[in-house]
Amino acid sequence: MNKSMLISIVLMISGLVGQHYPFPHDKQHSKENSSNCREYAMARAYRGSYCPATKLGDVATKITEPEFIINAWTWEEGKIEEGDLAIWGKEGEDHVAYIEDINYLSWGGIYISQVPRPNSTTGVQYLSIEDVKKYTTNAKNNYPTHYAKINKNLWMLEVKNEFWDGSNGGTIGIDDIPKQSTYTGFYEWGFPVKLTPMMDNEDGDGFKHHFIKWINNSENSPKYSSDEEYQIDLTSGTANLFTAKYLRKFKVTFNNNFIGIDEKGLITIRDTVRQLPFNLYVPENESITVSAPLNSVTHNHIDYDFTHWSTGSEFHTITITPTSDTTITAHYKGYPRSMAHYGISSGTTIGENIKLTWNVHPNQNVSKYRIFRQVKRKYGFSSHTRLVGTVNRQTTLWEDPQYILTDGYSDDLLFYDVRPFYTIESTESKEDWTVTFGEEVQSEEFFKKRADGNFANPN
């Protein structure tokens, strides 16, 4: 979206007369002012209105001063236009009015706006020239003798960029046309001019420019606006210098690092989940919050746990304030998924050695399985975790030579964990135990149950 400033430039006149007034005020608008009609008509012709103003200078009361009037012609109805001046007496010595509307080219069809007489208390009147002839003292019962067109002097408008380090340069849009900064142009009073900060998002030296506000240097009190589009009126008290202020914004690239795979996954940036890699431009002095997943994320049958950020922080959520283009990476540790996901079973044949079976782990970088066992004795105490076997990747069966499968809660409770080993990161799956009942081979209870034929399926 363009950030633009629409300036309705009002009361524009060049520095030739030393003040920013586009019409010849003799003195001030006051009871002593004998030129109300002239000043009002000139103000309207400059697209202004009847207004108070300070002294412009000693300007002749003749309305045909060349600084203000292109020329004055004998009244010819075919050439007049709305916005012209109707003049009684070639130099406006009798009366002057502003031509507001031309409905048709006759005295009754041409409407003017006027201040009817010096020291008038009636305010501005809107009426046809036919009625002016009847009711306006200054017109002396006459129709206009001349008409004139305003010589609209130009207002100097200066626009520039100011970057983060105070430097200038680049381009500025003047009515959507790129102009080199600093730009100086001259415009009619009342003519709308659109300013656009064209350097917004443009590349700098290791950053992008970031537009933040316009400054209207009005005397000693600069006025600021960061609006995308706004309108002001340039009056005699408004400066003609406008500055587009910029800061830097830095490119922050977010990434995940899963060792050994190309997958980048997701993270949360400013409360929004983003597919990585993701680039974001962050304005200077602005902070941004990023969060890694709290739980494991799985890619190709490997569970990845967040470990730390490239900043060194081990917190899942961090806040950063970039000072240059940078990359923020979340690092992870990968663990093969447990065999509980791949069909592990402890068998069903009571009285035979316990046989653990499973399916081959789908990840090709699982090279072997290590088998662990814990025993909770029926008498209430437990053994430590023991490594009881190691088999290669393609093996899907392991038989426990020390324990047979039993049916009873009165027997030992056996815990088995077949842990796949992931060669890329030299990790094995997290603990995930399979539970069954069993009896140790060669124990007294074993021989007694075998003699009785008492081996039932605990399931």
Side-chain angles (χ1 to χ4, degrees), residues 146-195:
H146 298 78
Y147 74 97
K149 296 182 182 295
I150 285 291
N151 179 17
K152 292 188 173 72
N153 292 284
L154 300 179
W155 178 286
M156 185 181 76
L157 181 64
E158 184 177 353
V159 188
K160 70 175 184 177
N161 292 320
E162 184 176 316
F163 299 121
W164 68 279
D165 58 356
S167 63
N168 187 3
T171 57
I172 280 187
I174 309 295
D175 291 331
D176 296 322
I177 299 173
K179 301 289 186 180
Q180 192 68 31
S181 175
T182 298
Y183 169 79
T184 301
F186 295 87
Y187 294 88
E188 284 187 14
W189 166 67
F191 192 82
V193 179
K194 184 173 72 172
L195 306 182

Side-chain angles (χ1 to χ4, degrees), residues 24 26 32-40 61 118:
D26 290 330
E32 290 73 35
N33 186 358
S34 62
S35 300
N36 297 36
C37 65
R38 257 192 310 278
E39 294 179 356
Y40 173 77
T61 59

Side-chain angles (χ1 to χ4, degrees), residues 285-302:
N285 302 321
E286 188 172 308
S287 297
I288 185 170
T289 299
V290 56
S291 299
L294 289 171
N295 301 316
S296 299
V297 293
T298 304
H299 299 293
N300 194 22
H301 304 277
I302 304 297

Side-chain angles (χ1 to χ4, degrees), residues 43-44 84 88 92 100 114 146 155 158 233 257 280 297 305 336 353:
R44 289 301 312 279
D84 289 346
W88 283 256
E100 190 86 59
Q114 68 170 13
H146 298 78
W155 178 286
E158 184 177 353
D233 292 333
N257 179 33
L280 183 68
V297 293
D305 292 347
N353 289 72

